[in-house]
Amino acid sequence: MYFGGRVPQGGAHRVVVIGGGFAGLQAVSHLASAPVEITLVDRRNFHLFQPLTYQLATGALSEGEVCFPLRAIFKRHRNVRVFLAEAAGLDLDARRVRLEPAVGDVSPDYVEYDTLIVAGGSQYSYFGHDEWEPLAPQVKSLESALDVRNRVLGAFEAAELDSEEPARQAWLTFVIVGAGPTGVETAGQIAELARDTLRRDFRAIDTAEGRILLVEATDRVLGTFPPSLSRKAQRALEHLGVTVMLDRTVVGIDEGSVTVKAPDGGTATMPTRTVIWAAGVTASRLAAQVGEQAGAELDRSGRVTVEPDLTLPGHPEVFALGDMVRVRGADGTPVVYPGVAPVAMQQGRHAAAAVRARLTGGTSTPFRYVDKGNLATIGRARAVADLPGARVSGFPAWALWLGVHLWYLVGFQNRLVVFIRWGYSFVIHGRGARVISALGRVR
């Protein structure tokens, strides 16, 4: 039985999409005008604009500016239903998804499909040290970004009250693990927060004396960028006061310190009360579920291997998208695409086009990723951009970064509010979302 509150009209094709991230959102948006019945399943009632969660974590933006309700996005499409539930299990042979409630204790037991699109995303990997997660939160989800904001702002407040100098220095030391775009952007924002925004807010401490340590296991920051841009990004970080620690591996984290290991085997322990994790990702558990049922290969990061058209082996009615997959190339070698929003968005549009083609008797084509470049911001008027045929840094790259992110934000209101917020912050050097919402998490 199809659960959806009404029976599909005229035996309409039933599409179930799991995940309201970039891939799932694009798939639903490009299928909403087709003669299909769509059920979007997500355990959150909003789409989170993940590229800006680090700004939420550092007080530059608030929750409502990086989130947009899923129901509001599709309110004009009567063939789209949104289920606030969690996909608890898949039965590929019976073509159904088992659901568990995300709120209260009410949800349908399952939903049936003719086409399934799985876009479960990914999460940060702690490389076998899951015990570090409560000590070093990440900024990939709304809840964890708010946790980081509480910890960062709470650390300054605790330092203001602590009269013991060693303890105060620990409160004013911030360690970011991983120097990819998220780590670099987070480090730059905390540095600006300490050295600019908060300079006159406290009486007992000088926030500019705070130490921001960016720890990276490889030999440069922004490893996916060209070396020349990596060097420029590192110089920009150091100009902001960030200490970049390359070729260092984190081997220990506790409530009062971080221990790193150097290439020569030596270790160093740094007292700190705030650690932020931005190193490595692993696929969502849905990848393992679909992989097991379809007999598909999984890599070390848990990504499931899909066919060139993004379908599961032996199950052409199931598409898997985004960070949770690697795509088999023409020569049979799996390709791992960058875990960035443009890849997920293009894959969502590809899956929608494939479903539309099948509805008219056509066939799906192999997925082709069009690389439009890579952007990362370091701080105020500082960014790097690796574009097709050009490498840009400084203010031009920063302006480009602003424009691209405003363009892809969901909802005109969010674009307008964020534009005003950024403009106002640029003029007064302020941050309007410096709210500690859960003092119990500052420790």
Side-chain angles (χ1 to χ4, degrees):
M1 179 182 68
Y2 177 81
F3 187 99
R6 61 188 173 126
V7 177
Q9 298 300 310
H13 191 88
R14 302 165 301 179
V15 179
V16 173
V17 179
I18 301 176
F22 287 106
L25 199 67
Q26 288 293 311
V28 176
S29 297
H30 284 75
L31 277 173
S33 60
V36 297
E37 290 286 330
I38 304 172
T39 302
L40 174 59
V41 179
D42 200 294
R43 60 183 178 178
R44 300 289 183 266
N45 76 326
F46 55 83
H47 167 74
L48 174 66
F49 194 79
Q50 281 192 350
L52 292 181
T53 51
Y54 76 93
Q55 294 210 358
L56 172 62
T58 52
L61 296 174
S62 61
E63 300 95 302
E65 293 156 2
V66 296
C67 301
F68 201 85
L70 292 170
R71 295 187 185 279
I73 297 172
F74 301 111
K75 63 183 178 182
R76 293 184 175 86
H77 299 282
R78 304 302 299 172
N79 62 328
V80 178
R81 287 290 304 270
V82 177
F83 281 175
L84 188 61
E86 184 157 5
L90 306 175
D91 188 337
L92 300 186
D93 293 329
R95 297 194 179 187
R96 62 171 58 177
V97 179
R98 184 168 60 85
L99 302 179
E100 290 184 354
V103 61
D105 57 1
V106 178
S107 77
D109 293 331
Y110 63 87
V111 59
E112 296 180 340
Y113 63 83
D114 297 306
T115 294
L116 174 64
I117 299 176
V118 184
S122 63
Q123 59 192 18
Y124 279 108
S125 170
Y126 289 82
F127 305 111
H129 292 277
D130 291 343
E131 70 276 11
W132 292 350
E133 185 172 1
L135 303 172
Q138 38 83 21
V139 296
K140 203 171 180 65
S141 70
L142 174 63
E143 294 81 2
S144 59
L146 291 174
D147 185 11
V148 170
R149 186 179 73 184
N150 292 335
R151 294 178 189 230
V152 170
L153 297 176
F156 290 107
E157 298 291 344
E160 175 79 355
L161 298 175
D162 203 321
S163 59
E164 298 293 330
E165 187 59 26
R168 178 178 288 178
Q169 288 301 316
W171 282 115
L172 291 176
T173 299
F174 303 88
V175 178
I176 299 92
V177 183
T182 300
V184 165
E185 291 168 343
T186 303
Q189 288 288 306
I190 295 177
E192 289 193 339
L193 184 69
R195 287 159 173 74
D196 189 2
T197 306
L198 300 180
R199 283 295 299 272
R200 299 181 181 180
D201 286 14
F202 293 87
R203 302 295 177 263
I205 62 172
D206 180 1
T207 59
E209 294 180 355
R211 298 176 66 206
I212 295 89
L213 310 178
L214 181 60
V215 181
E216 170 57 38
T218 65
D219 61 354
R220 61 188 178 98
V221 304
L222 298 178
T224 59
F225 284 70
S228 61
L229 291 181
S230 293
R231 290 191 294 270
K232 290 181 178 180
Q234 182 172 339
R235 287 196 295 268
L237 286 166
E238 291 169 345
H239 186 265
L240 287 172
V242 176
T243 300
V244 180
M245 305 178 68
L246 301 177
D247 294 314
R248 297 294 188 274
T249 304
V250 174
V251 294
I253 300 176
D254 58 36
E255 290 193 355
S257 67
V258 170
T259 301
V260 298
K261 184 178 181 181
D264 62 4
T267 61
T269 299
M270 300 165 293
T272 178
R273 300 300 295 270
T274 309
V275 185
I276 302 169
W277 193 268
V281 295
T282 184
S284 77
R285 59 179 180 77
L286 283 173
Q289 289 188 31
V290 298
E292 180 180 357
Q293 291 201 32
E297 301 174 13
L298 298 176
D299 67 6
R300 295 180 60 183
S301 296
R303 303 182 190 91
V304 61
T305 303
V306 296
E307 300 294 350
D309 63 352
L310 305 182
T311 60
L312 283 180
H315 289 273
E317 76 284 357
V318 180
F319 293 85
L321 317 175
D323 296 348
M324 59 177 281
V325 306
R326 57 179 185 169
V327 184
R328 195 178 305 281
D331 61 355
T333 303
V335 177
V336 177
Y337 290 105
V340 294
V343 173
M345 295 171 73
Q346 290 183 35
Q347 290 184 343
R349 292 194 290 268
H350 175 89
V355 174
R356 282 179 171 273
R358 292 176 181 180
L359 292 175
T360 58
T363 58
S364 57
T365 60
F367 171 70
R368 295 286 183 266
Y369 172 54
V370 179
D371 188 356
K372 298 180 180 179
N374 210 356
L375 300 165
T377 181
I378 295 97
R380 179 185 174 88
R382 296 179 174 93
V384 291
D386 180 22
L387 307 174
R391 294 172 183 174
V392 187
S393 61
F395 183 85
W398 181 72
L400 179 62
W401 181 92
L402 292 177
V404 168
H405 284 71
L406 283 172
W407 175 261
Y408 283 113
L409 266 174
V410 176
F412 174 78
Q413 177 179 306
N414 280 23
R415 295 189 190 109
L416 179 62
V417 171
V418 171
F419 176 75
I420 294 172
R421 173 88 75 179
W422 280 344
Y424 187 69
S425 298
F426 184 82
V427 173
I428 71 166
H429 293 228
R431 292 166 187 265
R434 303 200 313 269
V435 176
I436 300 173
S437 58
L439 285 171
R441 293 190 178 185
V442 180
R443 49 183 178 269

